[in-house]
Amino acid sequence: MASKPNISNNSAIITSPMFLTNESLHSILAHDSLIQHFHTYLPTTSSTLHTPIRQSYDLSQSSSLLLMPSWSSTPSLPYIGVKLVTYFPQNSALNLPGIHASYVLFSSTTGQTLASMDGTVLTLYRTSCVSGLASKILARNDSIVLVMVGAGALAPHLIKAHLAARPSLQRVIIWNRTIKKAVDLAEKLNKDCIGNAGVRFESNGNLEEIIGLGDIVSCATNADAPLIKGEKLKQGAHLDMVGSFKETMRECDDEAIRRGRVFVDNEAALVEAGELVGAFERGVTKKEDVGFLVELIKGEQVGRKSSEEITVFKSVGSAVVDLLAAQLVYESYIKDK
């Protein structure tokens, strides 16, 4: 469990930083509650937080270092947070995760370190729950089939988040370049009995065959060439993409962007997501036609307009949701101490 901090009975001021173990993070975080936390706090805090564009440094042709700071001085969110991330996609050959991260939370009142935690686990939860929140707003209420493209560390979290957001889902089909990973994940999820009663998890090695089955298609890959062909998407589908964060990465083709109404998690996606940057350059769509998640939550923009409409949500991640997720973890831990 996490090491307990020294806390004054009267002021609850931390005199020494605490380290939250992965076990503690998993015990505190749940996909349904984090989706609700984002839904509640994003509209009110997104405009008050200072969130510089993430700094990304190329360590090699394929490896990167990312720094994601965010801070607020409002009484309801008196925190500074910094996430440090390394991206080594070649680690899959070593049977190691491609992403490693650490997150440090500070007080914006005193500047003291409050807590540190595994940024990778935090990222898995916050990324999947942002997608879950978008799915809750944009996917059809009667969605039955979820197609999961990719079977890496993020895949089970995305599946759980979509199931939490859309309880109507009954079937989950998993695809991965290495089919054994898809098979293993499906078997594990069936064994763990996650989601609602009766949900079936299965694997399939033919991506083009299953794309058209998906009411929701969720992608978490390192693809630099489009995996999702827009012509294969069924009417009314919701396409969710979280894998790309550089102009050279693309999970879907231009046709998917052309056919769908596109929404993003934040403005960084307009300059970082390869699917969108290329589409803008080729005249497939315009920046002003892209909607934002916060606008959807606030009701400032209409989400799905019909059951036949295709919606597309592209997420690149942000320090805002990192800080909100860390807030939930930290305050829940202090409350239950």
Side-chain angles (χ1 to χ4, degrees):
M1 294 295 292
S3 55
K4 298 276 186 175
N6 296 321
I7 304 176
S8 164
N9 291 332
N10 296 323
S11 62
I13 295 176
I14 309 301
T15 57
S16 61
M18 62 178 169
F19 174 74
L20 282 153
T21 65
N22 289 359
E23 179 185 15
S24 295
L25 290 179
H26 287 303
S27 68
I28 293 171
L29 290 171
H31 298 87
D32 55 352
S33 60
L34 188 53
I35 289 172
Q36 185 57 49
H37 186 70
F38 288 158
H39 192 277
T40 301
Y41 282 91
L42 270 175
T44 57
T45 60
S46 57
S47 61
T48 62
L49 284 169
H50 299 276
T51 54
I53 293 291
R54 81 177 89 198
Q55 300 174 54
S56 180
Y57 302 96
D58 291 332
L59 304 177
S60 69
Q61 195 169 16
S62 60
S63 305
S64 306
L65 168 67
L66 295 88
L67 306 178
M68 302 171 67
S70 184
W71 63 90
S72 167
S73 57
T74 60
S76 61
L77 196 69
Y79 302 116
I80 304 165
V82 182
K83 186 167 72 173
L84 302 97
V85 183
T86 57
Y87 174 66
F88 282 67
Q90 66 273 21
N91 278 1
S92 59
L94 304 174
N95 200 29
L96 291 172
I99 297 176
H100 294 272
S102 294
Y103 195 86
V104 185
L105 189 69
F106 304 87
S107 165
S108 61
T109 303
T110 65
Q112 70 184 128
T113 307
L114 300 176
S116 61
M117 61 197 79
D118 188 322
T120 303
V121 174
L122 196 73
T123 300
L124 292 173
Y125 276 97
R126 69 85 153 141
T127 302
S128 60
C129 289
V130 168
S131 285
L133 178 53
S135 179
K136 183 177 181 180
I137 298 171
L138 294 172
R140 285 170 44 163
N141 293 333
D142 59 352
S143 296
I144 295 175
V145 179
L146 166 65
V147 173
M148 183 68 236
V149 182
L154 189 51
H157 284 273
L158 282 165
I159 290 170
K160 292 173 184 177
H162 285 298
L163 288 173
R166 284 292 167 213
S168 58
L169 289 168
Q170 298 175 11
R171 183 185 181 193
V172 179
I173 310 172
I174 305 168
W175 176 91
N176 194 73
R177 290 187 190 276
T178 306
I179 187 61
K180 186 179 186 304
K181 288 186 177 181
V183 172
D184 291 345
L185 178 57
E187 289 180 353
K188 183 179 188 306
L189 294 175
N190 276 315
K191 183 179 180 181
D192 293 347
C193 297
I194 71 161
N196 305 307
V199 177
R200 306 192 315 274
F201 302 93
E202 58 192 83
S203 58
N204 192 305
N206 189 332
L207 183 58
E208 290 202 0
E209 176 184 286
I210 61 175
I211 289 302
L213 301 176
D215 296 301
I216 301 173
V217 178
S218 185
C219 307
T221 72
N222 299 323
D224 52 15
L227 292 171
I228 306 301
K229 304 296 191 294
E231 65 179 8
K232 298 291 185 180
L233 292 169
K234 67 186 293 185
Q235 283 192 336
H238 172 64
L239 174 60
D240 166 54
M241 298 179 291
V242 304
S244 74
F245 58 89
K246 295 194 292 187
E247 293 182 26
T248 56
M249 303 171 74
R250 293 177 68 194
E251 291 188 299
C252 77
D253 64 6
D254 285 347
E255 183 64 9
I257 300 299
R258 187 192 66 78
R259 291 187 67 197
R261 285 183 62 226
V262 181
F263 300 87
V264 296
D265 59 337
N266 63 82
E267 289 187 358
L270 303 180
V271 295
E272 293 181 358
E275 300 91 350
L276 298 182
V277 173
F280 297 148
E281 292 174 349
R282 291 183 288 273
V284 176
T285 189
K286 301 175 183 177
K287 287 185 179 181
E288 51 266 34
D289 293 332
V290 176
F292 294 90
L293 180 60
V294 169
E295 294 174 348
L296 287 171
I297 299 171
K298 290 181 176 180
E300 296 175 353
Q301 192 157 32
V302 177
R304 173 172 293 278
K305 294 180 178 179
S306 73
S307 58
E308 291 79 30
E309 183 178 53
I310 291 174
T311 54
V312 177
F313 179 70
K314 173 57 197 167
S315 169
V316 295
S318 76
V320 171
V321 285
D322 284 329
L323 189 61
L324 289 177
Q327 172 207 11
L328 179 62
V329 170
Y330 176 72
E331 293 181 1
S332 295
Y333 180 77
I334 293 298
K335 180 181 178 181
D336 296 335
K337 66 178 179 62

mmCIF file of all heavy atoms in Angstrom, residues 238-270:
data_model
loop_
_atom_site.group_PDB
_atom_site.id
_atom_site.type_symbol
_atom_site.label_atom_id
_atom_site.label_comp_id
_atom_site.label_asym_id
_atom_site.label_seq_id
_atom_site.Cartn_x
_atom_site.Cartn_y
_atom_site.Cartn_z
ATOM 1 N N HIS A 238 -19.181 5.014 -34.085
ATOM 2 C CA HIS A 238 -18.361 5.993 -33.373
ATOM 3 C C HIS A 238 -16.921 5.484 -33.403
ATOM 4 O O HIS A 238 -16.634 4.384 -32.935
ATOM 5 C CB HIS A 238 -18.829 6.155 -31.924
ATOM 6 C CG HIS A 238 -17.907 7.011 -31.095
ATOM 7 N ND1 HIS A 238 -17.686 8.345 -31.367
ATOM 8 C CD2 HIS A 238 -17.127 6.710 -30.010
ATOM 9 C CE1 HIS A 238 -16.827 8.838 -30.488
ATOM 10 N NE2 HIS A 238 -16.475 7.873 -29.659
ATOM 11 N N LEU A 239 -16.025 6.287 -33.980
ATOM 12 C CA LEU A 239 -14.608 5.929 -34.083
ATOM 13 C C LEU A 239 -13.818 6.682 -33.032
ATOM 14 O O LEU A 239 -13.854 7.911 -32.973
ATOM 15 C CB LEU A 239 -14.083 6.251 -35.484
ATOM 16 C CG LEU A 239 -12.577 6.059 -35.725
ATOM 17 C CD1 LEU A 239 -12.153 4.609 -35.478
ATOM 18 C CD2 LEU A 239 -12.205 6.496 -37.145
ATOM 19 N N ASP A 240 -13.098 5.934 -32.202
ATOM 20 C CA ASP A 240 -12.308 6.497 -31.107
ATOM 21 C C ASP A 240 -10.836 6.168 -31.357
ATOM 22 O O ASP A 240 -10.488 5.002 -31.543
ATOM 23 C CB ASP A 240 -12.782 5.884 -29.781
ATOM 24 C CG ASP A 240 -11.826 6.128 -28.636
ATOM 25 O OD1 ASP A 240 -11.487 7.301 -28.386
ATOM 26 O OD2 ASP A 240 -11.420 5.145 -27.977
ATOM 27 N N MET A 241 -9.958 7.179 -31.375
ATOM 28 C CA MET A 241 -8.540 6.947 -31.646
ATOM 29 C C MET A 241 -7.675 7.643 -30.605
ATOM 30 O O MET A 241 -7.840 8.834 -30.347
ATOM 31 C CB MET A 241 -8.174 7.467 -33.042
ATOM 32 C CG MET A 241 -8.910 6.765 -34.172
ATOM 33 S SD MET A 241 -8.464 7.425 -35.801
ATOM 34 C CE MET A 241 -9.196 9.065 -35.726
ATOM 35 N N VAL A 242 -6.738 6.881 -30.028
ATOM 36 C CA VAL A 242 -5.876 7.437 -28.983
ATOM 37 C C VAL A 242 -4.394 7.203 -29.250
ATOM 38 O O VAL A 242 -3.550 7.691 -28.500
ATOM 39 C CB VAL A 242 -6.231 6.841 -27.596
ATOM 40 C CG1 VAL A 242 -7.696 7.048 -27.268
ATOM 41 C CG2 VAL A 242 -5.881 5.357 -27.532
ATOM 42 N N GLY A 243 -4.065 6.479 -30.312
ATOM 43 C CA GLY A 243 -2.684 6.032 -30.498
ATOM 44 C C GLY A 243 -1.700 7.086 -30.968
ATOM 45 O O GLY A 243 -0.577 7.169 -30.468
ATOM 46 N N SER A 244 -2.083 7.899 -31.930
ATOM 47 C CA SER A 244 -1.108 8.815 -32.537
ATOM 48 C C SER A 244 -0.947 10.096 -31.737
ATOM 49 O O SER A 244 -1.899 10.594 -31.141
ATOM 50 C CB SER A 244 -1.540 9.170 -33.968
ATOM 51 O OG SER A 244 -2.625 10.062 -33.957
ATOM 52 N N PHE A 245 0.275 10.606 -31.720
ATOM 53 C CA PHE A 245 0.532 11.906 -31.094
ATOM 54 C C PHE A 245 1.606 12.672 -31.865
ATOM 55 O O PHE A 245 2.113 13.691 -31.414
ATOM 56 C CB PHE A 245 0.956 11.748 -29.627
ATOM 57 C CG PHE A 245 2.190 10.902 -29.431
ATOM 58 C CD1 PHE A 245 3.450 11.484 -29.451
ATOM 59 C CD2 PHE A 245 2.081 9.538 -29.228
ATOM 60 C CE1 PHE A 245 4.589 10.719 -29.268
ATOM 61 C CE2 PHE A 245 3.224 8.766 -29.045
ATOM 62 C CZ PHE A 245 4.469 9.359 -29.072
ATOM 63 N N LYS A 246 1.934 12.177 -33.064
ATOM 64 C CA LYS A 246 2.879 12.859 -33.943
ATOM 65 C C LYS A 246 2.305 12.897 -35.350
ATOM 66 O O LYS A 246 1.476 12.060 -35.725
ATOM 67 C CB LYS A 246 4.238 12.133 -33.947
ATOM 68 C CG LYS A 246 4.954 12.167 -32.609
ATOM 69 C CD LYS A 246 6.411 11.750 -32.735
ATOM 70 C CE LYS A 246 6.571 10.286 -33.094
ATOM 71 N NZ LYS A 246 7.977 9.856 -33.051
ATOM 72 N N GLU A 247 2.767 13.856 -36.150
ATOM 73 C CA GLU A 247 2.254 14.027 -37.509
ATOM 74 C C GLU A 247 2.488 12.800 -38.377
ATOM 75 O O GLU A 247 1.758 12.567 -39.352
ATOM 76 C CB GLU A 247 2.916 15.240 -38.167
ATOM 77 C CG GLU A 247 2.548 16.566 -37.530
ATOM 78 C CD GLU A 247 3.198 17.735 -38.244
ATOM 79 O OE1 GLU A 247 3.506 17.600 -39.445
ATOM 80 O OE2 GLU A 247 3.407 18.779 -37.598
ATOM 81 N N THR A 248 3.500 12.008 -38.037
ATOM 82 C CA THR A 248 3.844 10.840 -38.850
ATOM 83 C C THR A 248 3.008 9.609 -38.504
ATOM 84 O O THR A 248 3.138 8.583 -39.165
ATOM 85 C CB THR A 248 5.329 10.498 -38.679
ATOM 86 O OG1 THR A 248 5.604 10.292 -37.281
ATOM 87 C CG2 THR A 248 6.214 11.616 -39.199
ATOM 88 N N MET A 249 2.147 9.710 -37.493
ATOM 89 C CA MET A 249 1.358 8.567 -37.056
ATOM 90 C C MET A 249 -0.096 8.734 -37.507
ATOM 91 O O MET A 249 -0.659 9.819 -37.413
ATOM 92 C CB MET A 249 1.418 8.431 -35.529
ATOM 93 C CG MET A 249 2.842 8.289 -34.983
ATOM 94 S SD MET A 249 2.924 8.396 -33.172
ATOM 95 C CE MET A 249 2.238 6.792 -32.712
ATOM 96 N N ARG A 250 -0.695 7.641 -38.008
ATOM 97 C CA ARG A 250 -2.086 7.686 -38.465
ATOM 98 C C ARG A 250 -2.767 6.352 -38.191
ATOM 99 O O ARG A 250 -2.258 5.302 -38.569
ATOM 100 C CB ARG A 250 -2.171 7.964 -39.965
ATOM 101 C CG ARG A 250 -1.712 9.330 -40.405
ATOM 102 C CD ARG A 250 -1.769 9.448 -41.931
ATOM 103 N NE ARG A 250 -3.145 9.431 -42.437
ATOM 104 C CZ ARG A 250 -3.455 9.255 -43.725
ATOM 105 N NH1 ARG A 250 -2.496 9.043 -44.618
ATOM 106 N NH2 ARG A 250 -4.708 9.280 -44.120
ATOM 107 N N GLU A 251 -3.937 6.410 -37.565
ATOM 108 C CA GLU A 251 -4.704 5.186 -37.320
ATOM 109 C C GLU A 251 -5.873 5.035 -38.289
ATOM 110 O O GLU A 251 -6.406 3.939 -38.434
ATOM 111 C CB GLU A 251 -5.210 5.152 -35.873
ATOM 112 C CG GLU A 251 -4.098 4.976 -34.852
ATOM 113 C CD GLU A 251 -4.615 4.744 -33.449
ATOM 114 O OE1 GLU A 251 -5.318 5.631 -32.922
ATOM 115 O OE2 GLU A 251 -4.308 3.682 -32.867
ATOM 116 N N CYS A 252 -6.288 6.126 -38.920
ATOM 117 C CA CYS A 252 -7.370 6.042 -39.898
ATOM 118 C C CYS A 252 -6.999 6.819 -41.151
ATOM 119 O O CYS A 252 -6.086 7.650 -41.145
ATOM 120 C CB CYS A 252 -8.683 6.565 -39.310
ATOM 121 S SG CYS A 252 -8.792 8.374 -39.235
ATOM 122 N N ASP A 253 -7.721 6.551 -42.227
ATOM 123 C CA ASP A 253 -7.456 7.250 -43.489
ATOM 124 C C ASP A 253 -8.330 8.507 -43.600
ATOM 125 O O ASP A 253 -9.153 8.809 -42.726
ATOM 126 C CB ASP A 253 -7.668 6.314 -44.677
ATOM 127 C CG ASP A 253 -9.117 5.834 -44.816
ATOM 128 O OD1 ASP A 253 -9.991 6.303 -44.058
ATOM 129 O OD2 ASP A 253 -9.363 4.978 -45.687
ATOM 130 N N ASP A 254 -8.151 9.232 -44.693
ATOM 131 C CA ASP A 254 -8.894 10.472 -44.912
ATOM 132 C C ASP A 254 -10.396 10.230 -45.038
ATOM 133 O O ASP A 254 -11.201 11.087 -44.665
ATOM 134 C CB ASP A 254 -8.392 11.173 -46.177
ATOM 135 C CG ASP A 254 -7.039 11.847 -45.984
ATOM 136 O OD1 ASP A 254 -6.597 11.988 -44.820
ATOM 137 O OD2 ASP A 254 -6.420 12.228 -47.002
ATOM 138 N N GLU A 255 -10.771 9.082 -45.579
ATOM 139 C CA GLU A 255 -12.189 8.803 -45.785
ATOM 140 C C GLU A 255 -12.932 8.739 -44.453
ATOM 141 O O GLU A 255 -14.092 9.163 -44.367
ATOM 142 C CB GLU A 255 -12.362 7.496 -46.559
ATOM 143 C CG GLU A 255 -13.800 7.130 -46.908
ATOM 144 C CD GLU A 255 -14.483 8.120 -47.854
ATOM 145 O OE1 GLU A 255 -13.795 9.018 -48.397
ATOM 146 O OE2 GLU A 255 -15.707 8.007 -48.054
ATOM 147 N N ALA A 256 -12.284 8.216 -43.421
ATOM 148 C CA ALA A 256 -12.917 8.171 -42.100
ATOM 149 C C ALA A 256 -13.154 9.580 -41.565
ATOM 150 O O ALA A 256 -14.206 9.870 -40.973
ATOM 151 C CB ALA A 256 -12.050 7.373 -41.128
ATOM 152 N N ILE A 257 -12.178 10.454 -41.787
ATOM 153 C CA ILE A 257 -12.326 11.851 -41.352
ATOM 154 C C ILE A 257 -13.404 12.546 -42.184
ATOM 155 O O ILE A 257 -14.221 13.309 -41.661
ATOM 156 C CB ILE A 257 -10.987 12.601 -41.493
ATOM 157 C CG1 ILE A 257 -9.902 11.930 -40.634
ATOM 158 C CG2 ILE A 257 -11.148 14.063 -41.115
ATOM 159 C CD1 ILE A 257 -10.184 11.909 -39.164
ATOM 160 N N ARG A 258 -13.425 12.273 -43.495
ATOM 161 C CA ARG A 258 -14.408 12.905 -44.374
ATOM 162 C C ARG A 258 -15.827 12.489 -44.025
ATOM 163 O O ARG A 258 -16.754 13.307 -44.031
ATOM 164 C CB ARG A 258 -14.120 12.546 -45.837
ATOM 165 C CG ARG A 258 -14.985 13.303 -46.837
ATOM 166 C CD ARG A 258 -14.883 12.717 -48.237
ATOM 167 N NE ARG A 258 -15.442 11.370 -48.311
ATOM 168 C CZ ARG A 258 -16.753 11.110 -48.363
ATOM 169 N NH1 ARG A 258 -17.639 12.102 -48.340
ATOM 170 N NH2 ARG A 258 -17.183 9.866 -48.430
ATOM 171 N N ARG A 259 -16.029 11.199 -43.713
ATOM 172 C CA ARG A 259 -17.366 10.688 -43.438
ATOM 173 C C ARG A 259 -17.889 11.085 -42.060
ATOM 174 O O ARG A 259 -19.114 11.116 -41.855
ATOM 175 C CB ARG A 259 -17.378 9.160 -43.540
ATOM 176 C CG ARG A 259 -17.203 8.610 -44.936
ATOM 177 C CD ARG A 259 -17.411 7.097 -44.927
ATOM 178 N NE ARG A 259 -18.801 6.739 -44.629
ATOM 179 C CZ ARG A 259 -19.197 5.530 -44.248
ATOM 180 N NH1 ARG A 259 -18.299 4.554 -44.106
ATOM 181 N NH2 ARG A 259 -20.470 5.283 -44.006
ATOM 182 N N GLY A 260 -17.000 11.366 -41.136
ATOM 183 C CA GLY A 260 -17.445 11.604 -39.762
ATOM 184 C C GLY A 260 -17.442 13.055 -39.337
ATOM 185 O O GLY A 260 -16.809 13.903 -39.956
ATOM 186 N N ARG A 261 -18.187 13.349 -38.274
ATOM 187 C CA ARG A 261 -18.056 14.632 -37.586
ATOM 188 C C ARG A 261 -16.984 14.441 -36.530
ATOM 189 O O ARG A 261 -17.064 13.536 -35.692
ATOM 190 C CB ARG A 261 -19.376 15.047 -36.936
ATOM 191 C CG ARG A 261 -20.380 15.552 -37.957
ATOM 192 C CD ARG A 261 -21.652 16.027 -37.282
ATOM 193 N NE ARG A 261 -21.408 17.153 -36.388
ATOM 194 C CZ ARG A 261 -21.908 17.250 -35.151
ATOM 195 N NH1 ARG A 261 -22.643 16.270 -34.653
ATOM 196 N NH2 ARG A 261 -21.665 18.304 -34.423
ATOM 197 N N VAL A 262 -15.966 15.296 -36.591
ATOM 198 C CA VAL A 262 -14.757 15.081 -35.804
ATOM 199 C C VAL A 262 -14.730 15.948 -34.546
ATOM 200 O O VAL A 262 -15.026 17.151 -34.594
ATOM 201 C CB VAL A 262 -13.502 15.372 -36.658
ATOM 202 C CG1 VAL A 262 -12.232 15.122 -35.849
ATOM 203 C CG2 VAL A 262 -13.510 14.514 -37.925
ATOM 204 N N PHE A 263 -14.343 15.317 -33.439
ATOM 205 C CA PHE A 263 -14.170 16.000 -32.157
ATOM 206 C C PHE A 263 -12.815 15.598 -31.575
ATOM 207 O O PHE A 263 -12.318 14.494 -31.827
ATOM 208 C CB PHE A 263 -15.289 15.623 -31.185
ATOM 209 C CG PHE A 263 -16.668 15.981 -31.671
ATOM 210 C CD1 PHE A 263 -17.376 15.099 -32.481
ATOM 211 C CD2 PHE A 263 -17.247 17.195 -31.340
ATOM 212 C CE1 PHE A 263 -18.643 15.420 -32.946
ATOM 213 C CE2 PHE A 263 -18.510 17.530 -31.805
ATOM 214 C CZ PHE A 263 -19.213 16.645 -32.606
ATOM 215 N N VAL A 264 -12.226 16.483 -30.786
ATOM 216 C CA VAL A 264 -10.928 16.196 -30.170
ATOM 217 C C VAL A 264 -10.977 16.527 -28.689
ATOM 218 O O VAL A 264 -11.873 17.225 -28.214
ATOM 219 C CB VAL A 264 -9.797 16.997 -30.848
ATOM 220 C CG1 VAL A 264 -9.632 16.587 -32.300
ATOM 221 C CG2 VAL A 264 -10.056 18.503 -30.746
ATOM 222 N N ASP A 265 -9.978 16.024 -27.965
ATOM 223 C CA ASP A 265 -9.938 16.289 -26.526
ATOM 224 C C ASP A 265 -9.415 17.679 -26.209
ATOM 225 O O ASP A 265 -9.808 18.295 -25.226
ATOM 226 C CB ASP A 265 -9.123 15.215 -25.796
ATOM 227 C CG ASP A 265 -7.688 15.112 -26.276
ATOM 228 O OD1 ASP A 265 -7.396 15.510 -27.419
ATOM 229 O OD2 ASP A 265 -6.835 14.611 -25.506
ATOM 230 N N ASN A 266 -8.514 18.213 -27.043
ATOM 231 C CA ASN A 266 -7.989 19.562 -26.809
ATOM 232 C C ASN A 266 -7.312 20.077 -28.080
ATOM 233 O O ASN A 266 -7.136 19.346 -29.051
ATOM 234 C CB ASN A 266 -7.019 19.573 -25.623
ATOM 235 C CG ASN A 266 -5.791 18.721 -25.864
ATOM 236 O OD1 ASN A 266 -4.835 19.159 -26.512
ATOM 237 N ND2 ASN A 266 -5.797 17.480 -25.369
ATOM 238 N N GLU A 267 -6.913 21.330 -28.061
ATOM 239 C CA GLU A 267 -6.376 21.988 -29.257
ATOM 240 C C GLU A 267 -5.078 21.358 -29.745
ATOM 241 O O GLU A 267 -4.751 21.470 -30.933
ATOM 242 C CB GLU A 267 -6.159 23.480 -28.980
ATOM 243 C CG GLU A 267 -7.454 24.261 -28.847
ATOM 244 C CD GLU A 267 -7.218 25.755 -28.747
ATOM 245 O OE1 GLU A 267 -6.042 26.169 -28.747
ATOM 246 O OE2 GLU A 267 -8.210 26.504 -28.672
ATOM 247 N N ALA A 268 -4.327 20.728 -28.864
ATOM 248 C CA ALA A 268 -3.062 20.115 -29.272
ATOM 249 C C ALA A 268 -3.276 19.074 -30.366
ATOM 250 O O ALA A 268 -2.405 18.860 -31.217
ATOM 251 C CB ALA A 268 -2.364 19.482 -28.073
ATOM 252 N N ALA A 269 -4.436 18.441 -30.367
ATOM 253 C CA ALA A 269 -4.723 17.407 -31.374
ATOM 254 C C ALA A 269 -4.699 17.979 -32.784
ATOM 255 O O ALA A 269 -4.393 17.272 -33.749
ATOM 256 C CB ALA A 269 -6.083 16.769 -31.094
ATOM 257 N N LEU A 270 -5.005 19.262 -32.917
ATOM 258 C CA LEU A 270 -5.061 19.891 -34.234
ATOM 259 C C LEU A 270 -3.682 20.021 -34.873
ATOM 260 O O LEU A 270 -3.573 20.155 -36.096
ATOM 261 C CB LEU A 270 -5.715 21.270 -34.138
ATOM 262 C CG LEU A 270 -7.124 21.316 -33.535
ATOM 263 C CD1 LEU A 270 -7.627 22.745 -33.502
ATOM 264 C CD2 LEU A 270 -8.087 20.418 -34.316
#
